[in-house]
Amino acid sequence: MINIVLYQPEIAPNTGNIIRTCHATESKLHIILPASFDLHPKWFKRSGAGKWLSDIPHEIHKNIEEFNKLYLNENIYYASRYGKQYHTTPNYKININEDIFIMFGRESTGLPHSLLKDKIEKVIRIPMVEEARSLNLATTVMLLIYEVHRQNNFNGLSKFEVQKGKDFLDTK
């Protein structure tokens, strides 16, 4: 399973969009507190498109130490503009019983240096023009989830339109 880890998120609409992406991709969401907003569903109303934390597998962690006690030995990648390898470099191929974790930092400051300095081989970055400081958090989460799914042939995801039918465009 893909596990998305948000380290101290600051913008509720980003988290709402991430909840929706996790729902669409059967990914699990971890939120490491403190968050800069209340985790009440009213904050996710528009961006979550009717999906709440209760609609997806998730865990709320009081702090990074609590998260590390449970998951430090897992296969964790850290998304950061300081990474020296592209987000497409790691082999994300997983089997049904394996978990992969991708941790994302705060919208304003990213992941702390102290968290990354001993894990440089697991720090990944998305290439962008030199003038850009960063990408939107929800966009970055979506891009990385779909890279993991691409490398796994989108296993578990529908590969055609299920509501209107596979041949919807052919019928008009």
mmCIF file of all heavy atoms in Angstrom, residues 8-44:
data_model
loop_
_atom_site.group_PDB
_atom_site.id
_atom_site.type_symbol
_atom_site.label_atom_id
_atom_site.label_comp_id
_atom_site.label_asym_id
_atom_site.label_seq_id
_atom_site.Cartn_x
_atom_site.Cartn_y
_atom_site.Cartn_z
ATOM 1 N N GLN A 8 3.273 18.003 9.581
ATOM 2 C CA GLN A 8 2.778 19.294 10.064
ATOM 3 C C GLN A 8 2.167 20.163 8.950
ATOM 4 O O GLN A 8 2.627 21.264 8.676
ATOM 5 C CB GLN A 8 3.891 20.049 10.781
ATOM 6 C CG GLN A 8 4.450 19.291 11.970
ATOM 7 C CD GLN A 8 5.560 20.033 12.695
ATOM 8 O OE1 GLN A 8 6.040 21.089 12.264
ATOM 9 N NE2 GLN A 8 5.982 19.488 13.812
ATOM 10 N N PRO A 9 1.119 19.662 8.306
ATOM 11 C CA PRO A 9 0.509 20.428 7.203
ATOM 12 C C PRO A 9 -0.041 21.771 7.673
ATOM 13 O O PRO A 9 -0.476 21.907 8.818
ATOM 14 C CB PRO A 9 -0.604 19.506 6.709
ATOM 15 C CG PRO A 9 -0.924 18.627 7.865
ATOM 16 C CD PRO A 9 0.369 18.446 8.612
ATOM 17 N N GLU A 10 -0.024 22.748 6.763
ATOM 18 C CA GLU A 10 -0.411 24.113 7.112
ATOM 19 C C GLU A 10 -1.665 24.611 6.399
ATOM 20 O O GLU A 10 -2.270 25.579 6.846
ATOM 21 C CB GLU A 10 0.734 25.079 6.780
ATOM 22 C CG GLU A 10 1.993 24.790 7.538
ATOM 23 C CD GLU A 10 3.160 25.634 7.066
ATOM 24 O OE1 GLU A 10 3.489 25.609 5.865
ATOM 25 O OE2 GLU A 10 3.741 26.322 7.927
ATOM 26 N N ILE A 11 -2.029 24.016 5.282
ATOM 27 C CA ILE A 11 -3.120 24.553 4.463
ATOM 28 C C ILE A 11 -4.203 23.488 4.298
ATOM 29 O O ILE A 11 -3.995 22.473 3.624
ATOM 30 C CB ILE A 11 -2.584 25.033 3.094
ATOM 31 C CG1 ILE A 11 -1.506 26.115 3.315
ATOM 32 C CG2 ILE A 11 -3.721 25.547 2.216
ATOM 33 C CD1 ILE A 11 -0.789 26.552 2.056
ATOM 34 N N ALA A 12 -5.354 23.740 4.917
ATOM 35 C CA ALA A 12 -6.448 22.764 4.914
ATOM 36 C C ALA A 12 -6.883 22.349 3.505
ATOM 37 O O ALA A 12 -7.078 21.153 3.259
ATOM 38 C CB ALA A 12 -7.635 23.298 5.706
ATOM 39 N N PRO A 13 -7.044 23.274 2.549
ATOM 40 C CA PRO A 13 -7.457 22.830 1.206
ATOM 41 C C PRO A 13 -6.465 21.872 0.542
ATOM 42 O O PRO A 13 -6.869 20.966 -0.186
ATOM 43 C CB PRO A 13 -7.586 24.134 0.418
ATOM 44 C CG PRO A 13 -7.902 25.159 1.456
ATOM 45 C CD PRO A 13 -7.090 24.739 2.665
ATOM 46 N N ASN A 14 -5.169 22.046 0.801
ATOM 47 C CA ASN A 14 -4.197 21.078 0.280
ATOM 48 C C ASN A 14 -4.458 19.697 0.864
ATOM 49 O O ASN A 14 -4.488 18.691 0.159
ATOM 50 C CB ASN A 14 -2.759 21.497 0.616
ATOM 51 C CG ASN A 14 -2.202 22.501 -0.350
ATOM 52 O OD1 ASN A 14 -2.664 22.645 -1.470
ATOM 53 N ND2 ASN A 14 -1.202 23.232 0.089
ATOM 54 N N THR A 15 -4.664 19.645 2.171
ATOM 55 C CA THR A 15 -4.927 18.357 2.822
ATOM 56 C C THR A 15 -6.234 17.767 2.307
ATOM 57 O O THR A 15 -6.329 16.564 2.080
ATOM 58 C CB THR A 15 -4.936 18.521 4.349
ATOM 59 O OG1 THR A 15 -3.650 19.045 4.760
ATOM 60 C CG2 THR A 15 -5.176 17.198 5.051
ATOM 61 N N GLY A 16 -7.241 18.590 2.078
ATOM 62 C CA GLY A 16 -8.494 18.110 1.507
ATOM 63 C C GLY A 16 -8.298 17.499 0.133
ATOM 64 O O GLY A 16 -8.847 16.428 -0.174
ATOM 65 N N ASN A 17 -7.504 18.145 -0.702
ATOM 66 C CA ASN A 17 -7.206 17.590 -2.032
ATOM 67 C C ASN A 17 -6.433 16.280 -1.910
ATOM 68 O O ASN A 17 -6.648 15.353 -2.691
ATOM 69 C CB ASN A 17 -6.416 18.596 -2.873
ATOM 70 C CG ASN A 17 -7.297 19.694 -3.420
ATOM 71 O OD1 ASN A 17 -8.469 19.482 -3.709
ATOM 72 N ND2 ASN A 17 -6.740 20.878 -3.545
ATOM 73 N N ILE A 18 -5.551 16.202 -0.949
ATOM 74 C CA ILE A 18 -4.773 14.976 -0.734
ATOM 75 C C ILE A 18 -5.685 13.853 -0.255
ATOM 76 O O ILE A 18 -5.533 12.698 -0.677
ATOM 77 C CB ILE A 18 -3.601 15.255 0.227
ATOM 78 C CG1 ILE A 18 -2.589 16.181 -0.461
ATOM 79 C CG2 ILE A 18 -2.947 13.954 0.688
ATOM 80 C CD1 ILE A 18 -1.585 16.834 0.462
ATOM 81 N N ILE A 19 -6.654 14.163 0.589
ATOM 82 C CA ILE A 19 -7.630 13.158 1.017
ATOM 83 C C ILE A 19 -8.351 12.599 -0.210
ATOM 84 O O ILE A 19 -8.514 11.385 -0.358
ATOM 85 C CB ILE A 19 -8.632 13.754 2.024
ATOM 86 C CG1 ILE A 19 -7.933 14.027 3.361
ATOM 87 C CG2 ILE A 19 -9.843 12.841 2.219
ATOM 88 C CD1 ILE A 19 -8.750 14.855 4.335
ATOM 89 N N ARG A 20 -8.764 13.469 -1.109
ATOM 90 C CA ARG A 20 -9.462 13.026 -2.330
ATOM 91 C C ARG A 20 -8.558 12.150 -3.189
ATOM 92 O O ARG A 20 -8.980 11.119 -3.711
ATOM 93 C CB ARG A 20 -9.930 14.248 -3.110
ATOM 94 C CG ARG A 20 -10.778 13.919 -4.306
ATOM 95 C CD ARG A 20 -11.280 15.182 -4.958
ATOM 96 N NE ARG A 20 -12.183 14.852 -6.053
ATOM 97 C CZ ARG A 20 -12.772 15.752 -6.787
ATOM 98 N NH1 ARG A 20 -12.589 17.039 -6.542
ATOM 99 N NH2 ARG A 20 -13.567 15.396 -7.772
ATOM 100 N N THR A 21 -7.303 12.526 -3.334
ATOM 101 C CA THR A 21 -6.353 11.720 -4.111
ATOM 102 C C THR A 21 -6.117 10.373 -3.447
ATOM 103 O O THR A 21 -6.062 9.344 -4.125
ATOM 104 C CB THR A 21 -5.025 12.482 -4.292
ATOM 105 O OG1 THR A 21 -5.293 13.707 -4.992
ATOM 106 C CG2 THR A 21 -4.019 11.665 -5.082
ATOM 107 N N CYS A 22 -5.980 10.354 -2.134
ATOM 108 C CA CYS A 22 -5.808 9.082 -1.422
ATOM 109 C C CYS A 22 -7.026 8.186 -1.631
ATOM 110 O O CYS A 22 -6.887 6.975 -1.818
ATOM 111 C CB CYS A 22 -5.560 9.331 0.067
ATOM 112 S SG CYS A 22 -3.914 9.965 0.436
ATOM 113 N N HIS A 23 -8.211 8.765 -1.615
ATOM 114 C CA HIS A 23 -9.425 7.983 -1.851
ATOM 115 C C HIS A 23 -9.389 7.374 -3.252
ATOM 116 O O HIS A 23 -9.684 6.187 -3.429
ATOM 117 C CB HIS A 23 -10.651 8.874 -1.686
ATOM 118 C CG HIS A 23 -11.944 8.154 -1.877
ATOM 119 N ND1 HIS A 23 -12.316 7.570 -3.060
ATOM 120 C CD2 HIS A 23 -12.973 7.919 -1.031
ATOM 121 C CE1 HIS A 23 -13.492 7.008 -2.936
ATOM 122 N NE2 HIS A 23 -13.917 7.207 -1.708
ATOM 123 N N ALA A 24 -9.022 8.162 -4.251
ATOM 124 C CA ALA A 24 -9.028 7.704 -5.649
ATOM 125 C C ALA A 24 -7.954 6.658 -5.936
ATOM 126 O O ALA A 24 -8.051 5.933 -6.929
ATOM 127 C CB ALA A 24 -8.851 8.900 -6.589
ATOM 128 N N THR A 25 -6.954 6.581 -5.084
ATOM 129 C CA THR A 25 -5.820 5.685 -5.345
ATOM 130 C C THR A 25 -5.641 4.621 -4.268
ATOM 131 O O THR A 25 -4.638 3.908 -4.274
ATOM 132 C CB THR A 25 -4.518 6.500 -5.462
ATOM 133 O OG1 THR A 25 -4.305 7.228 -4.250
ATOM 134 C CG2 THR A 25 -4.566 7.452 -6.650
ATOM 135 N N GLU A 26 -6.588 4.530 -3.365
ATOM 136 C CA GLU A 26 -6.519 3.582 -2.243
ATOM 137 C C GLU A 26 -5.204 3.691 -1.480
ATOM 138 O O GLU A 26 -4.569 2.701 -1.139
ATOM 139 C CB GLU A 26 -6.762 2.147 -2.706
ATOM 140 C CG GLU A 26 -8.183 1.912 -3.153
ATOM 141 C CD GLU A 26 -8.497 0.446 -3.408
ATOM 142 O OE1 GLU A 26 -7.605 -0.319 -3.833
ATOM 143 O OE2 GLU A 26 -9.655 0.085 -3.156
ATOM 144 N N SER A 27 -4.806 4.930 -1.232
ATOM 145 C CA SER A 27 -3.597 5.199 -0.463
ATOM 146 C C SER A 27 -3.985 5.539 0.976
ATOM 147 O O SER A 27 -5.073 6.032 1.235
ATOM 148 C CB SER A 27 -2.825 6.370 -1.068
ATOM 149 O OG SER A 27 -2.457 6.091 -2.404
ATOM 150 N N LYS A 28 -3.065 5.276 1.892
ATOM 151 C CA LYS A 28 -3.289 5.589 3.301
ATOM 152 C C LYS A 28 -2.627 6.922 3.618
ATOM 153 O O LYS A 28 -1.516 7.199 3.166
ATOM 154 C CB LYS A 28 -2.702 4.481 4.184
ATOM 155 C CG LYS A 28 -2.928 4.682 5.664
ATOM 156 C CD LYS A 28 -2.432 3.471 6.455
ATOM 157 C CE LYS A 28 -2.707 3.635 7.932
ATOM 158 N NZ LYS A 28 -2.282 2.422 8.680
ATOM 159 N N LEU A 29 -3.306 7.743 4.404
ATOM 160 C CA LEU A 29 -2.785 9.054 4.778
ATOM 161 C C LEU A 29 -2.366 9.063 6.239
ATOM 162 O O LEU A 29 -3.105 8.605 7.114
ATOM 163 C CB LEU A 29 -3.856 10.135 4.542
ATOM 164 C CG LEU A 29 -3.457 11.563 4.893
ATOM 165 C CD1 LEU A 29 -2.274 12.037 4.042
ATOM 166 C CD2 LEU A 29 -4.651 12.495 4.718
ATOM 167 N N HIS A 30 -1.173 9.575 6.496
ATOM 168 C CA HIS A 30 -0.670 9.799 7.853
ATOM 169 C C HIS A 30 -0.490 11.307 8.013
ATOM 170 O O HIS A 30 0.099 11.949 7.139
ATOM 171 C CB HIS A 30 0.693 9.128 8.055
ATOM 172 C CG HIS A 30 0.678 7.649 7.879
ATOM 173 N ND1 HIS A 30 0.671 6.783 8.939
ATOM 174 C CD2 HIS A 30 0.657 6.883 6.756
ATOM 175 C CE1 HIS A 30 0.666 5.536 8.487
ATOM 176 N NE2 HIS A 30 0.650 5.575 7.166
ATOM 177 N N ILE A 31 -0.973 11.848 9.101
ATOM 178 C CA ILE A 31 -0.760 13.266 9.403
ATOM 179 C C ILE A 31 0.018 13.347 10.706
ATOM 180 O O ILE A 31 -0.408 12.815 11.735
ATOM 181 C CB ILE A 31 -2.091 14.030 9.519
ATOM 182 C CG1 ILE A 31 -2.827 14.010 8.171
ATOM 183 C CG2 ILE A 31 -1.848 15.463 9.991
ATOM 184 C CD1 ILE A 31 -4.198 14.660 8.193
ATOM 185 N N ILE A 32 1.182 14.004 10.617
ATOM 186 C CA ILE A 32 2.004 14.222 11.803
ATOM 187 C C ILE A 32 1.698 15.621 12.333
ATOM 188 O O ILE A 32 1.896 16.613 11.628
ATOM 189 C CB ILE A 32 3.503 14.063 11.478
ATOM 190 C CG1 ILE A 32 3.786 12.638 10.983
ATOM 191 C CG2 ILE A 32 4.357 14.408 12.697
ATOM 192 C CD1 ILE A 32 5.196 12.417 10.480
ATOM 193 N N LEU A 33 1.209 15.682 13.547
ATOM 194 C CA LEU A 33 0.835 16.952 14.167
ATOM 195 C C LEU A 33 2.063 17.685 14.712
ATOM 196 O O LEU A 33 3.108 17.059 14.899
ATOM 197 C CB LEU A 33 -0.162 16.674 15.295
ATOM 198 C CG LEU A 33 -1.464 16.008 14.859
ATOM 199 C CD1 LEU A 33 -2.333 15.693 16.080
ATOM 200 C CD2 LEU A 33 -2.227 16.868 13.872
ATOM 201 N N PRO A 34 1.966 18.983 14.949
ATOM 202 C CA PRO A 34 0.744 19.754 14.865
ATOM 203 C C PRO A 34 0.423 20.173 13.427
ATOM 204 O O PRO A 34 1.324 20.406 12.623
ATOM 205 C CB PRO A 34 1.034 20.983 15.719
ATOM 206 C CG PRO A 34 2.526 21.163 15.626
ATOM 207 C CD PRO A 34 3.083 19.768 15.491
ATOM 208 N N ALA A 35 -0.862 20.271 13.126
ATOM 209 C CA ALA A 35 -1.342 20.852 11.877
ATOM 210 C C ALA A 35 -1.717 22.300 12.174
ATOM 211 O O ALA A 35 -2.047 22.636 13.308
ATOM 212 C CB ALA A 35 -2.542 20.080 11.352
ATOM 213 N N SER A 36 -1.676 23.145 11.173
ATOM 214 C CA SER A 36 -1.993 24.565 11.368
ATOM 215 C C SER A 36 -3.492 24.835 11.277
ATOM 216 O O SER A 36 -3.906 25.987 11.211
ATOM 217 C CB SER A 36 -1.254 25.409 10.325
ATOM 218 O OG SER A 36 0.130 25.306 10.519
ATOM 219 N N PHE A 37 -4.298 23.787 11.245
ATOM 220 C CA PHE A 37 -5.740 23.914 11.139
ATOM 221 C C PHE A 37 -6.383 22.750 11.875
ATOM 222 O O PHE A 37 -5.736 21.744 12.147
ATOM 223 C CB PHE A 37 -6.180 23.928 9.662
ATOM 224 C CG PHE A 37 -5.623 22.773 8.880
ATOM 225 C CD1 PHE A 37 -6.287 21.553 8.816
ATOM 226 C CD2 PHE A 37 -4.404 22.891 8.224
ATOM 227 C CE1 PHE A 37 -5.753 20.483 8.124
ATOM 228 C CE2 PHE A 37 -3.870 21.828 7.514
ATOM 229 C CZ PHE A 37 -4.542 20.613 7.470
ATOM 230 N N ASP A 38 -7.634 22.901 12.173
ATOM 231 C CA ASP A 38 -8.408 21.849 12.828
ATOM 232 C C ASP A 38 -8.704 20.758 11.803
ATOM 233 O O ASP A 38 -8.968 21.050 10.636
ATOM 234 C CB ASP A 38 -9.711 22.470 13.351
ATOM 235 C CG ASP A 38 -10.550 21.523 14.173
ATOM 236 O OD1 ASP A 38 -10.127 20.367 14.387
ATOM 237 O OD2 ASP A 38 -11.625 21.933 14.600
ATOM 238 N N LEU A 39 -8.657 19.512 12.220
ATOM 239 C CA LEU A 39 -8.924 18.399 11.306
ATOM 240 C C LEU A 39 -10.416 18.095 11.176
ATOM 241 O O LEU A 39 -10.799 17.037 10.703
ATOM 242 C CB LEU A 39 -8.159 17.156 11.755
ATOM 243 C CG LEU A 39 -6.640 17.274 11.696
ATOM 244 C CD1 LEU A 39 -5.978 16.009 12.231
ATOM 245 C CD2 LEU A 39 -6.154 17.585 10.298
ATOM 246 N N HIS A 40 -11.254 19.051 11.541
ATOM 247 C CA HIS A 40 -12.702 18.896 11.410
ATOM 248 C C HIS A 40 -13.098 18.895 9.927
ATOM 249 O O HIS A 40 -12.538 19.661 9.136
ATOM 250 C CB HIS A 40 -13.415 20.042 12.140
ATOM 251 C CG HIS A 40 -14.880 19.851 12.249
ATOM 252 N ND1 HIS A 40 -15.747 20.179 11.237
ATOM 253 C CD2 HIS A 40 -15.636 19.343 13.247
ATOM 254 C CE1 HIS A 40 -16.983 19.891 11.598
ATOM 255 N NE2 HIS A 40 -16.936 19.382 12.819
ATOM 256 N N PRO A 41 -14.059 18.046 9.537
ATOM 257 C CA PRO A 41 -14.456 17.952 8.130
ATOM 258 C C PRO A 41 -14.859 19.268 7.471
ATOM 259 O O PRO A 41 -14.708 19.416 6.262
ATOM 260 C CB PRO A 41 -15.653 16.986 8.165
ATOM 261 C CG PRO A 41 -15.419 16.154 9.360
ATOM 262 C CD PRO A 41 -14.752 17.063 10.360
ATOM 263 N N LYS A 42 -15.358 20.256 8.224
ATOM 264 C CA LYS A 42 -15.779 21.515 7.598
ATOM 265 C C LYS A 42 -14.634 22.200 6.852
ATOM 266 O O LYS A 42 -14.857 22.921 5.892
ATOM 267 C CB LYS A 42 -16.384 22.463 8.627
ATOM 268 C CG LYS A 42 -15.384 23.069 9.589
ATOM 269 C CD LYS A 42 -16.056 24.018 10.556
ATOM 270 C CE LYS A 42 -15.023 24.628 11.494
ATOM 271 N NZ LYS A 42 -15.613 25.564 12.422
ATOM 272 N N TRP A 43 -13.396 21.959 7.278
ATOM 273 C CA TRP A 43 -12.251 22.590 6.617
ATOM 274 C C TRP A 43 -11.927 21.938 5.281
ATOM 275 O O TRP A 43 -11.193 22.500 4.477
ATOM 276 C CB TRP A 43 -11.018 22.543 7.522
ATOM 277 C CG TRP A 43 -11.206 23.354 8.750
ATOM 278 C CD1 TRP A 43 -11.373 22.889 10.017
ATOM 279 C CD2 TRP A 43 -11.268 24.777 8.841
ATOM 280 N NE1 TRP A 43 -11.547 23.922 10.897
ATOM 281 C CE2 TRP A 43 -11.487 25.104 10.196
ATOM 282 C CE3 TRP A 43 -11.180 25.811 7.907
ATOM 283 C CZ2 TRP A 43 -11.591 26.417 10.628
ATOM 284 C CZ3 TRP A 43 -11.290 27.115 8.354
ATOM 285 C CH2 TRP A 43 -11.496 27.399 9.692
ATOM 286 N N PHE A 44 -12.461 20.747 5.034
ATOM 287 C CA PHE A 44 -12.164 20.023 3.805
ATOM 288 C C PHE A 44 -13.341 19.981 2.845
ATOM 289 O O PHE A 44 -13.303 19.304 1.843
ATOM 290 C CB PHE A 44 -11.741 18.578 4.121
ATOM 291 C CG PHE A 44 -10.642 18.492 5.134
ATOM 292 C CD1 PHE A 44 -10.810 17.765 6.297
ATOM 293 C CD2 PHE A 44 -9.441 19.135 4.934
ATOM 294 C CE1 PHE A 44 -9.802 17.671 7.232
ATOM 295 C CE2 PHE A 44 -8.426 19.054 5.866
ATOM 296 C CZ PHE A 44 -8.606 18.325 7.009
#
